Amino acid sequence: MKKIFLAVFLIATFMVSSTAVAQHTLTVEVTNIKSNKGTIMIALFKGEAGFPKDDSKAIKKMKVAIKDNKATINFTALEAGDYAFALFHDENGNNEMDSNMFGIPKEGYGFSTNFKPKVSAPDFDEADFKIEGDTVQKVKIIN
């Protein structure tokens, strides 16, 4: 009887621990890219720390090729939770978001939830979304 109880306990513990760390996928579909020149640079944040400007605090970053003025980015092995991302079209390949002397971007950019800024970049809570399963975010680049 003790062996049966122990086996059931171990199986239940394994099932709970594997559900708690379920891994999900985020697919980001980017459209309205001005040209196929350069790459899309994206930084994914889990929580507000660093969002959207300090990509050193991003949990994942990617550089993706552009084809037919579109790009698709896949992030895998994500835990459930609140996320936000910022991306830009690095047309000249310098790995930086170029802006003019007033700080206005010279290259196309976008944010999760397709947030459209009026004056400045969004706060995390203005662009966050929940991942609870495999998720798709569609973003139209702002040029």
Side-chain angles (χ1 to χ4, degrees):
M1 185 67 174
K2 286 182 182 180
K3 288 181 181 180
I4 293 173
F5 176 74
L6 180 61
V8 170
F9 176 77
L10 290 174
I11 290 170
T13 302
F14 174 75
M15 289 176 65
V16 168
S17 66
S18 62
T19 330
V21 292
Q23 301 296 296
H24 307 291
T25 299
L26 168 64
T27 301
V28 180
E29 298 173 356
V30 186
T31 60
N32 198 44
I33 303 170
K34 189 168 39 173
S35 73
N36 291 321
K37 185 179 174 186
T39 58
I40 293 296
M41 306 282 288
I42 185 168
L44 179 66
F45 298 83
K46 187 174 185 194
E48 62 187 51
F51 180 80
K53 296 181 180 181
D54 184 0
D55 70 353
S56 70
K57 296 187 178 169
I59 61 160
K60 294 190 179 199
K61 296 185 276 190
M62 246 187 241
K63 183 180 199 176
V64 180
I66 301 164
K67 184 176 181 185
D68 298 327
N69 299 75
K70 298 176 187 171
T72 302
I73 301 110
N74 291 301
F75 292 105
T76 58
L78 298 173
E79 295 177 2
D82 293 330
Y83 293 81
F85 60 80
L87 57 83
F88 70 95
H89 179 194
D90 184 19
E91 291 181 77
N92 60 8
N94 67 352
N95 296 326
E96 294 179 7
M97 172 66 147
D98 296 329
S99 57
N100 66 19
M101 66 177 156
F102 301 109
I104 298 171
K106 290 181 174 179
E107 297 175 305
Y109 62 94
F111 301 100
S112 42
T113 69
N114 222 20
F115 181 87
K116 306 269 188 287
K118 292 183 172 106
V119 178
S120 65
D123 291 329
F124 182 82
D125 63 351
E126 294 175 306
D128 72 327
F129 61 96
K130 195 168 285 301
I131 291 181
E132 294 176 323
D134 292 347
T135 305
V136 175
Q137 283 274 311
K138 296 181 181 201
V139 177
K140 188 174 178 181
I141 286 277
I142 301 165
N143 287 302

